[in-house]
Amino acid sequence: MGIDNFCSLDGSDPFWDWNRTWQTHNPDLTPCFQNTVLVWIPCLYLWLFALLYILYLKRNDRGYICMTHLNRAKTAIGFTLWLICWADVFYSFWERSHGATIAPVYLVSPTMLGVTMLLATFLIQYERMKGVQSSGVMLNFWLITIVCATVTFHSKILHALNEPASVNVFKYTTFYIYYTMLLISLILACLSDQPPLFSQAVRDLNPCPESGASFLSRITFWWITGLMVTGYKRPLEEKDLWSLNTEDKSQRVVPQLVRRWDQECNKVKRPVDKTLYSPKRSAREEKKDGQPIEESEILLVKTLKKTGDPSLFCALCRTFGPYFLVSSLYKIVHDILMFVGPEILRLLIQFVNDSSAPDWHGYFYTTLLFVCTCVQTLILQKYFHVCFVTGMRLRTAIVGAVYRKALVITNAARRTSTVGEIVNLMSVDAQRFMDLITYINMIWSAPLQVILALYFLWQNLGPSVLAGVAVMVLMVPLNAVIAMKTKTYQVAQMKSKDNRIKLMNEVLNGIKVLKLYAWELAFKDKVSAIRESELRVLKKTAYLGAVSTFTWVCAPFLVALSTFAVYVLVDEHNILDAQKAFVSLALFNILRFPLNMLPMVISSMVQASVSMKRLRVFLSHEELDEDNVERPAISSSPDSIRIVDGAFSWSKGDSPTLKRINVRIPEGAFVAVVGHVGSGKSSLLSALLGEMQKQEGSVSIKGSVAYVPQQAWIQNATLKDNILFGRDGKDSWYQKVVEACALLPDLEILPGGDSTEIGEKGVNLSGGQKQRVSVARAVYCNCAVYLLDDPLSAVDAHVGKHIFEKIIGPQGLLQGRTRVLVTHGLSFLPQADLILVMVDGEITEMGSYTELLGRQGAFAEFLHTYTNTEQEEVEESVGEAVPRKGLENGGPAAMLGQSLNSLNAAGTGKTPQKTEPNDVATAKKTKSAEAARLTEADKANTGRVKLSVFWEYMKAIGLPLSIFSIFLFFCHHLSSLGSNYWLSLWTDDPVINNTQPNREMRLGVYGALGISQGIAVFCYSVAVSVGGILASRYLHQTMLYNILRSPMSFFERTPSGNLVNRFAKETDTIDSVIPSIIKMFMGSMFNVLGSCAVILIATPLVAIIIPPLGLFYFFVQRFYVASSRQLKRLESVSRSPVYTHFNETLLGTSVIRAFGEQQRFITESDGRVDHNQKAYFPSIVANRWLAVRLEFVGNLIVTSAALFAVMARDSLSPGIMGLSISYALQVTASLNWLVRMSSELETSIVAVEKVKEYGDTEKEAEWRLEHSTLPAGWPTAGHIEIHNFGLRYREDLELAISDISVNIEGAEKVGIVGRTGAGKSSLTLGLFRIIEAAQGEIRIDGVNIAELGLHELRSRITIIPQDPVLFSGSLRMNLDPFDGYTDEEVWRALELAHLKNFVSGLPDKLNHECSEGGENLSLGQRQLVCLARALLRKTKILVLDEATAAVDLETDNLMQSSN
């Protein structure tokens, strides 16, 4: 009894006394307990945590906070408390000196407390010096202290009332002062100090309030309320969003992952190198230094299967693991707290059964329940917050890593994954990881919950629990099988999806060609075919989903049924009373969550592992070898460029494309490279840039390099930014460059001069303008070596001459620099210092113009053949090359918006032209608005998603099916309620002779109700999933059709990123997200309604509480949705630019690398990702804000259900009380889920709104008219009459061409000439009705074309566009997508187009696969394919839009002759 003597020398003050504490109507703790345990608990807490906390603060120094009033007050109170404790100690000594017997406790406890208060005061100051604005450690300390002191306070008051004589005035006074000071300390600890000096928050214009928020505000997420209020008053805008926290920014997160990933890659490579190559290495290296590395690579691939690939998983764990571990701690605490609810329920039922128990027990349990549920809420939300922030960082890191990788992968690797696939890695796969992170802890947490639940069940029901366990164990393999099947379907679906997005990308990029050739339907069918296979897979997944839903909804019930059945049937003396039944039910309900979640987590992990593999494969692609090109320092060597014995291929395994290349180019030389189409001229430049794999030999380049690609790559930025390309602006030099590139007239035409925003892929520039901007960019960079890939083909002859003289030629701006020009123009050759003649990837001749002529070799012959035509060519090209500008539009990918180009060129300096760009300017000036314009205009229309959207979705499913699904939901929940109510009646059955008489009947009905529940679940799951598939098929088809029916102007206004987003992200949402959300939403809604109904039946008094709580709930939900919806929209608006920029980068990687601008682009991409996360971060915090408040509502419902049950304990049967509280315990989770699902549903259904919006945009004229009177072979003669023809590009603009009247006889050859922008292309656009006539008419063979269906017109006349656009697919498909011609006819067309030899030389002949955009054919070959396409159609009218620009003279002649 040492402790009793410690408290009182005579042992009169015991440590614990049950009669005084528990079995009484007026409870109190003994003075001994109060003076020891209640004083020591806070002391122990602080001393335990102080050490760890001081170490933590040492490592995380946030700066220094100046002394403030708040800090002074905290310190002063800390000292006061210390003084009070010492006063107590001294008083005890004083009493002792006056002969009183003082127990040791009165000296020890105040001393301990005093020292602890000193420590607290020290910590307050230390925190200030380390920049802590608000401290959780200290707040908790004050809270624990005050809770302990409150018990003593209560006891002292009771004592003073009962025995006023024995009151010690001094000690009472010091205690009351002490208590008051503690209260003040607690209040001060809730406040937040000012930010530290020089902190990020001080410098930032709009810092995130989280870092400066107080601890209370942080755990309840109160700090976001300001933003929510703003969002409730008016829609949130970008300027309202806070800056990202430093630790969430790309510049901090991405390098960590990249560094860890590199370490992983090095781990895997090292052992293989050592084992395989140590002996051979040195011998090999003398011969060819590249060889061993390649060989080891090949062997690596073989042996890596054994040693394993680099683990992306490990890299991710090492990067994000430490922060994520914090969440695991929260999760453990939360999991343990979950089991407090059922325990308290057991005590409450016991309390109702025991009529002798004092009332305060019931209220004590209720309070305990409330406190536990609240703590559980706060911990759970903190856990989710950590998870979501980790997910956010993970996405940032993955997007950043993919972007950085995309800039360095080889061309061969780049071809294995299309743009669509790589964009999917950033969007879909990164998203998968974010989704998984929130659940991943369930992998260990679910088994932990199951074990704990089983332990408590065993306590409750004994061995019969094993029956339930058996049922669960049987469920596991079933779920595993389903998960495995789902994985295989998942992979198949992703594959179809990638193909579909890739095809859509091409359709959107080549939409102009589809329209000109009337091929929309062929491609619509191709997309639909892929879509159908995708939906077939989805349907299988849906049936599997229904089975798994059935298993997991029924699992808890089957477990309960089997357990109860075994329990009552094993021994007839086993009585199922309320306590056993409902505590078990509460535990089964807890079991339901981990059992439900496990299959979800497993399937989520399966999806993430698919994504992980895709990412790993992409991140493991081979990178361009930095050593492909040596960059020697300025050495004595006079050569600027040198290739010795070079052999180059596009990828390591290929046979070399360029062989035996030996070139030495002295500094300052002007070199021309000539050769036929496909002879390897562009490849030579790629080899110099290091873009090709060097198989042997060496390449060295001295000095910086500038590169102009054959197809200009233009960024979505201002014209000036395109030219400066990240360099500093030097005005005089800039002016010189612009003038030399003949851009001055264009700048006058453009609305904003050089600050005009250029649209995606340069849509508002003509081809010639783009090429000149591309040249200007290179010249401005002022480099030592210039590689020019036929930049003059795209410009008019006279402009080409101007550029040659002013820039490339001997007197140009670049004189004295090394220039390598690939060209087809013979007129420039005499001025070259050196000419390289290329044939089939080899340099056959080289020398100056005169030397080569003198040799009488291939070059001389080639020249003689063409010098005669050259003169005509020049004359002709003045007339012919001019239309080029109108339509030419950079890469094949840039076919989008051409009429704008032509319009931009349409009428140089004329008034119509002047007005048009102003319009473009308003559209383009703020590209961010333009990129989001379609989405924005629609989004801002109302705050809430209109009910009509839900109605549209229901109609897409089919109304009968929708109503039937809802009815099934109702049946399921009704039978679920029925079975639990039946259970409560069963538990209230009277006990006769230690048995319950009707138990078989009770058990039978209980089982039947459960089975009907299962059937309803299965049916509604199938109904909803099938309905979802019907809806997504219908919505996708209508969207596809509507987009293909849109006129060209629509594609110019709409960034392709937006449209691809509709087909990727939104369609994915409609396919897989919406049906599952609908299921969960309906489920949780019925759950909440059912729970409220049960609680109301059991304790009608709750009716006082539920309506106000319901109102509060509704208000909070609406308050939240206002901000949440807008944040979601801001997030999706800022997501598109990330992908748009990424798309743009992928198209221009070679240019970015040539100029060495990778870092600038990486920074830009990071900036865009951060901008996107700026909107995402508040939306996850808003979710937590809501959850804390709603769970609080749920906790109040639980507490009130328990409270009113305690109050009505005399009139309630234990069964009904158990039923009521076990339902109330579920209500919190259901409420939370309901709001999450309703807001998810609202944000997801926006996808339907976005997909539907293209139904209302303007459409072209009908494709085919119902009653066509067109004769079969029309046009028979090809006689064209143009009468007073005029057209305008938009309603509000003046005419771009007007009053044109021409009469063209059949079989005439007519050339249309005019300078850039005179409206030549506009005329062809009018002929094909890409733009409808504003006045006059065009008749062909006497038929007014305005009265025809568009397909009838476009399929009967043919154009060879200036940009040769090919689609991925077989060569035959590119020539004849409708399969309307025989193979003989196709071969005949190829022969006429001089492609027969080339095609018959291919391994697959006509089935040769063209890659995306036809990139595996040279530009000239693509042009010839387009010619063959036109010849195949054999129409009477053929329009050539400067179709021979990218072709050498010989081929040009071939084309001329075949026409």
Side-chain angles (χ1 to χ4, degrees), residues 70-87:
L70 178 65
N71 211 283
R72 288 191 188 96
K74 285 182 181 176
T75 314
I77 287 171
F79 269 119
T80 314
L81 285 166
W82 173 65
L83 289 172
I84 291 169
C85 295
W86 282 120

PDB file of all heavy atoms in Angstrom, residues 70-87:
ATOM      1  N   LEU A  70       1.113  38.403 -28.060  1.00  0.00           N
ATOM      2  CA  LEU A  70       0.625  37.047 -27.807  1.00  0.00           C
ATOM      3  C   LEU A  70       1.716  36.225 -27.114  1.00  0.00           C
ATOM      4  O   LEU A  70       1.472  35.552 -26.110  1.00  0.00           O
ATOM      5  CB  LEU A  70       0.244  36.386 -29.146  1.00  0.00           C
ATOM      6  CG  LEU A  70      -0.248  34.942 -29.061  1.00  0.00           C
ATOM      7  CD1 LEU A  70      -1.555  34.855 -28.290  1.00  0.00           C
ATOM      8  CD2 LEU A  70      -0.448  34.341 -30.449  1.00  0.00           C
ATOM      9  N   ASN A  71       2.935  36.346 -27.650  1.00  0.00           N
ATOM     10  CA  ASN A  71       4.036  35.574 -27.096  1.00  0.00           C
ATOM     11  C   ASN A  71       4.378  36.013 -25.683  1.00  0.00           C
ATOM     12  O   ASN A  71       4.639  35.194 -24.796  1.00  0.00           O
ATOM     13  CB  ASN A  71       5.242  35.747 -28.019  1.00  0.00           C
ATOM     14  CG  ASN A  71       6.101  34.513 -28.007  1.00  0.00           C
ATOM     15  OD1 ASN A  71       6.838  34.312 -27.055  1.00  0.00           O
ATOM     16  ND2 ASN A  71       5.963  33.682 -29.028  1.00  0.00           N
ATOM     17  N   ARG A  72       4.326  37.338 -25.490  1.00  0.00           N
ATOM     18  CA  ARG A  72       4.623  37.868 -24.143  1.00  0.00           C
ATOM     19  C   ARG A  72       3.601  37.315 -23.150  1.00  0.00           C
ATOM     20  O   ARG A  72       3.937  36.887 -22.047  1.00  0.00           O
ATOM     21  CB  ARG A  72       4.575  39.393 -24.150  1.00  0.00           C
ATOM     22  CG  ARG A  72       5.760  40.007 -24.864  1.00  0.00           C
ATOM     23  CD  ARG A  72       5.839  41.521 -24.617  1.00  0.00           C
ATOM     24  NE  ARG A  72       6.864  42.109 -25.459  1.00  0.00           N
ATOM     25  CZ  ARG A  72       6.621  42.684 -26.638  1.00  0.00           C
ATOM     26  NH1 ARG A  72       5.392  42.766 -27.090  1.00  0.00           N
ATOM     27  NH2 ARG A  72       7.604  43.190 -27.353  1.00  0.00           N
ATOM     28  N   ALA A  73       2.317  37.338 -23.574  1.00  0.00           N
ATOM     29  CA  ALA A  73       1.250  36.877 -22.683  1.00  0.00           C
ATOM     30  C   ALA A  73       1.447  35.398 -22.340  1.00  0.00           C
ATOM     31  O   ALA A  73       1.349  34.993 -21.172  1.00  0.00           O
ATOM     32  CB  ALA A  73      -0.101  37.085 -23.346  1.00  0.00           C
ATOM     33  N   LYS A  74       1.749  34.575 -23.370  1.00  0.00           N
ATOM     34  CA  LYS A  74       1.956  33.143 -23.128  1.00  0.00           C
ATOM     35  C   LYS A  74       3.086  32.924 -22.119  1.00  0.00           C
ATOM     36  O   LYS A  74       2.971  32.125 -21.186  1.00  0.00           O
ATOM     37  CB  LYS A  74       2.310  32.430 -24.444  1.00  0.00           C
ATOM     38  CG  LYS A  74       1.147  32.211 -25.399  1.00  0.00           C
ATOM     39  CD  LYS A  74       1.671  31.457 -26.619  1.00  0.00           C
ATOM     40  CE  LYS A  74       0.568  31.220 -27.650  1.00  0.00           C
ATOM     41  NZ  LYS A  74       1.082  30.591 -28.861  1.00  0.00           N
ATOM     42  N   THR A  75       4.190  33.680 -22.337  1.00  0.00           N
ATOM     43  CA  THR A  75       5.356  33.509 -21.454  1.00  0.00           C
ATOM     44  C   THR A  75       5.021  33.938 -20.030  1.00  0.00           C
ATOM     45  O   THR A  75       5.334  33.241 -19.057  1.00  0.00           O
ATOM     46  CB  THR A  75       6.536  34.343 -21.999  1.00  0.00           C
ATOM     47  OG1 THR A  75       6.635  34.113 -23.403  1.00  0.00           O
ATOM     48  CG2 THR A  75       7.850  33.964 -21.343  1.00  0.00           C
ATOM     49  N   ALA A  76       4.355  35.094 -19.902  1.00  0.00           N
ATOM     50  CA  ALA A  76       4.015  35.626 -18.571  1.00  0.00           C
ATOM     51  C   ALA A  76       3.150  34.621 -17.817  1.00  0.00           C
ATOM     52  O   ALA A  76       3.382  34.328 -16.631  1.00  0.00           O
ATOM     53  CB  ALA A  76       3.289  36.956 -18.721  1.00  0.00           C
ATOM     54  N   ILE A  77       2.160  34.040 -18.518  1.00  0.00           N
ATOM     55  CA  ILE A  77       1.256  33.095 -17.836  1.00  0.00           C
ATOM     56  C   ILE A  77       2.020  31.834 -17.442  1.00  0.00           C
ATOM     57  O   ILE A  77       1.816  31.273 -16.362  1.00  0.00           O
ATOM     58  CB  ILE A  77       0.040  32.790 -18.724  1.00  0.00           C
ATOM     59  CG1 ILE A  77      -0.864  34.030 -18.727  1.00  0.00           C
ATOM     60  CG2 ILE A  77      -0.739  31.592 -18.212  1.00  0.00           C
ATOM     61  CD1 ILE A  77      -1.979  33.977 -19.696  1.00  0.00           C
ATOM     62  N   GLY A  78       2.941  31.390 -18.330  1.00  0.00           N
ATOM     63  CA  GLY A  78       3.769  30.228 -18.001  1.00  0.00           C
ATOM     64  C   GLY A  78       4.536  30.456 -16.706  1.00  0.00           C
ATOM     65  O   GLY A  78       4.548  29.594 -15.812  1.00  0.00           O
ATOM     66  N   PHE A  79       5.132  31.658 -16.576  1.00  0.00           N
ATOM     67  CA  PHE A  79       5.878  31.979 -15.358  1.00  0.00           C
ATOM     68  C   PHE A  79       4.951  32.033 -14.145  1.00  0.00           C
ATOM     69  O   PHE A  79       5.275  31.542 -13.074  1.00  0.00           O
ATOM     70  CB  PHE A  79       6.605  33.323 -15.521  1.00  0.00           C
ATOM     71  CG  PHE A  79       7.990  33.150 -16.069  1.00  0.00           C
ATOM     72  CD1 PHE A  79       8.371  33.709 -17.275  1.00  0.00           C
ATOM     73  CD2 PHE A  79       8.930  32.389 -15.364  1.00  0.00           C
ATOM     74  CE1 PHE A  79       9.652  33.527 -17.772  1.00  0.00           C
ATOM     75  CE2 PHE A  79      10.225  32.213 -15.860  1.00  0.00           C
ATOM     76  CZ  PHE A  79      10.592  32.777 -17.061  1.00  0.00           C
ATOM     77  N   THR A  80       3.780  32.632 -14.333  1.00  0.00           N
ATOM     78  CA  THR A  80       2.818  32.737 -13.230  1.00  0.00           C
ATOM     79  C   THR A  80       2.443  31.347 -12.717  1.00  0.00           C
ATOM     80  O   THR A  80       2.411  31.090 -11.509  1.00  0.00           O
ATOM     81  CB  THR A  80       1.542  33.479 -13.706  1.00  0.00           C
ATOM     82  OG1 THR A  80       1.935  34.621 -14.423  1.00  0.00           O
ATOM     83  CG2 THR A  80       0.659  33.867 -12.535  1.00  0.00           C
ATOM     84  N   LEU A  81       2.188  30.432 -13.657  1.00  0.00           N
ATOM     85  CA  LEU A  81       1.820  29.068 -13.264  1.00  0.00           C
ATOM     86  C   LEU A  81       2.956  28.424 -12.479  1.00  0.00           C
ATOM     87  O   LEU A  81       2.741  27.713 -11.491  1.00  0.00           O
ATOM     88  CB  LEU A  81       1.501  28.238 -14.515  1.00  0.00           C
ATOM     89  CG  LEU A  81       0.151  28.537 -15.164  1.00  0.00           C
ATOM     90  CD1 LEU A  81       0.078  27.940 -16.560  1.00  0.00           C
ATOM     91  CD2 LEU A  81      -0.985  27.975 -14.317  1.00  0.00           C
ATOM     92  N   TRP A  82       4.183  28.694 -12.932  1.00  0.00           N
ATOM     93  CA  TRP A  82       5.352  28.137 -12.240  1.00  0.00           C
ATOM     94  C   TRP A  82       5.414  28.676 -10.801  1.00  0.00           C
ATOM     95  O   TRP A  82       5.598  27.937  -9.855  1.00  0.00           O
ATOM     96  CB  TRP A  82       6.596  28.522 -13.045  1.00  0.00           C
ATOM     97  CG  TRP A  82       7.897  28.179 -12.397  1.00  0.00           C
ATOM     98  CD1 TRP A  82       8.374  26.938 -12.128  1.00  0.00           C
ATOM     99  CD2 TRP A  82       8.885  29.105 -11.919  1.00  0.00           C
ATOM    100  NE1 TRP A  82       9.608  27.003 -11.528  1.00  0.00           N
ATOM    101  CE2 TRP A  82       9.956  28.333 -11.397  1.00  0.00           C
ATOM    102  CE3 TRP A  82       8.982  30.504 -11.901  1.00  0.00           C
ATOM    103  CZ2 TRP A  82      11.098  28.919 -10.841  1.00  0.00           C
ATOM    104  CZ3 TRP A  82      10.118  31.080 -11.368  1.00  0.00           C
ATOM    105  CH2 TRP A  82      11.171  30.303 -10.835  1.00  0.00           C
ATOM    106  N   LEU A  83       5.164  29.989 -10.691  1.00  0.00           N
ATOM    107  CA  LEU A  83       5.192  30.627  -9.360  1.00  0.00           C
ATOM    108  C   LEU A  83       4.113  30.033  -8.451  1.00  0.00           C
ATOM    109  O   LEU A  83       4.332  29.777  -7.271  1.00  0.00           O
ATOM    110  CB  LEU A  83       5.003  32.143  -9.490  1.00  0.00           C
ATOM    111  CG  LEU A  83       6.206  32.888 -10.106  1.00  0.00           C
ATOM    112  CD1 LEU A  83       5.853  34.350 -10.370  1.00  0.00           C
ATOM    113  CD2 LEU A  83       7.417  32.804  -9.183  1.00  0.00           C
ATOM    114  N   ILE A  84       2.910  29.809  -9.018  1.00  0.00           N
ATOM    115  CA  ILE A  84       1.804  29.249  -8.206  1.00  0.00           C
ATOM    116  C   ILE A  84       2.193  27.871  -7.669  1.00  0.00           C
ATOM    117  O   ILE A  84       1.967  27.554  -6.495  1.00  0.00           O
ATOM    118  CB  ILE A  84       0.509  29.172  -9.054  1.00  0.00           C
ATOM    119  CG1 ILE A  84      -0.008  30.582  -9.342  1.00  0.00           C
ATOM    120  CG2 ILE A  84      -0.566  28.361  -8.342  1.00  0.00           C
ATOM    121  CD1 ILE A  84      -1.103  30.632 -10.374  1.00  0.00           C
ATOM    122  N   CYS A  85       2.800  27.060  -8.550  1.00  0.00           N
ATOM    123  CA  CYS A  85       3.217  25.716  -8.106  1.00  0.00           C
ATOM    124  C   CYS A  85       4.240  25.830  -6.969  1.00  0.00           C
ATOM    125  O   CYS A  85       4.166  25.102  -5.968  1.00  0.00           O
ATOM    126  CB  CYS A  85       3.825  24.942  -9.271  1.00  0.00           C
ATOM    127  SG  CYS A  85       2.612  24.620 -10.547  1.00  0.00           S
ATOM    128  N   TRP A  86       5.198  26.752  -7.123  1.00  0.00           N
ATOM    129  CA  TRP A  86       6.194  26.913  -6.072  1.00  0.00           C
ATOM    130  C   TRP A  86       5.548  27.428  -4.779  1.00  0.00           C
ATOM    131  O   TRP A  86       5.924  27.021  -3.686  1.00  0.00           O
ATOM    132  CB  TRP A  86       7.322  27.873  -6.506  1.00  0.00           C
ATOM    133  CG  TRP A  86       8.292  27.201  -7.429  1.00  0.00           C
ATOM    134  CD1 TRP A  86       8.592  27.572  -8.690  1.00  0.00           C
ATOM    135  CD2 TRP A  86       9.058  26.028  -7.157  1.00  0.00           C
ATOM    136  NE1 TRP A  86       9.501  26.706  -9.250  1.00  0.00           N
ATOM    137  CE2 TRP A  86       9.815  25.741  -8.318  1.00  0.00           C
ATOM    138  CE3 TRP A  86       9.183  25.169  -6.049  1.00  0.00           C
ATOM    139  CZ2 TRP A  86      10.680  24.652  -8.414  1.00  0.00           C
ATOM    140  CZ3 TRP A  86      10.053  24.094  -6.136  1.00  0.00           C
ATOM    141  CH2 TRP A  86      10.796  23.840  -7.320  1.00  0.00           C
ATOM    142  N   ALA A  87       4.562  28.300  -4.954  1.00  0.00           N
ATOM    143  CA  ALA A  87       3.860  28.822  -3.765  1.00  0.00           C
ATOM    144  C   ALA A  87       3.260  27.648  -2.985  1.00  0.00           C
ATOM    145  O   ALA A  87       3.346  27.592  -1.747  1.00  0.00           O
ATOM    146  CB  ALA A  87       2.778  29.795  -4.202  1.00  0.00           C
TER     147      ALA A  87
END
